[in-house]
């Protein structure tokens, strides 16, 4: 089963609805990455993690999920880069407009 991510929405400055859509798509892709990882579909988990980043690059969790999938696939250098980006984004976060909000079962 291959993960086929949707392209990130095209945003323009000030278009909050498209940014919100990107944030929602990032949540779905991030959760798909976690689920694919849990069932051992590592290529799909990596693709879904990359899609989450493409949809909401400022969201630390997207980078963390991508890193987890890369690490499980033995791509340790790339995983370390993803984890470093997650830490960087977490330190920069001040409630950006494109950050997914709302309750989440997977924290």
């Amino acid at each position: 089963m291959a993960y086929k991510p949707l392209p990130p929405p095209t945003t323009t400055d000030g278009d909050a609805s498209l940014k919100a859509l990107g944030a929602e798509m990032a949540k779905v892709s991030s959760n798909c990455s976690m689920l694919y990882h849990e069932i051992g579909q590592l290529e799909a988990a990596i693709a879904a993690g990359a899609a989450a980043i493409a949809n909401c690059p400022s969201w630390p969790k997207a980078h963390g999920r991508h890193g987890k999938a890369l690490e499980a696939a033995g791509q340790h250098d790339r995983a370390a880069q993803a984890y470093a980006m997650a830490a960087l984004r977490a330190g920069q976060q001040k409630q950006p407009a494109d950050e997914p909000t709302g309750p989440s079962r997977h924290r």
Side-chain angles (χ1 to χ4, degrees):
M1 174 181 263
Y3 180 78
K4 296 181 181 176
L6 295 172
T10 304
T11 60
T12 57
D13 288 339
D15 194 342
S17 63
L18 284 177
K19 285 185 179 183
L21 176 61
E24 289 302 313
M25 289 173 66
K27 285 193 271 187
V28 170
S29 295
S30 176
N31 287 338
C32 285
S33 180
M34 178 195 59
L35 292 172
Y36 280 124
H37 178 267
E38 287 181 1
I39 63 171
Q41 297 290 324
L42 299 180
E43 287 183 30
I46 292 167
I53 292 167
N55 282 296
C56 191
S58 65
W59 191 33
K61 186 184 252 183
H63 295 277
R65 290 265 168 91
H66 190 223
K68 185 175 182 177
L70 290 165
E71 182 179 9
Q75 298 181 33
H76 301 291
D77 289 341
R78 289 182 63 204
Q81 291 173 349
Y83 288 140
M85 186 59 71
L88 176 68
R89 295 294 187 212
Q92 293 174 341
Q93 212 163 34
K94 296 179 185 176
Q95 299 298 350
D98 60 346
E99 175 188 357
T101 58
S104 174
R105 297 181 314 147
H106 308 287
R107 294 193 175 210

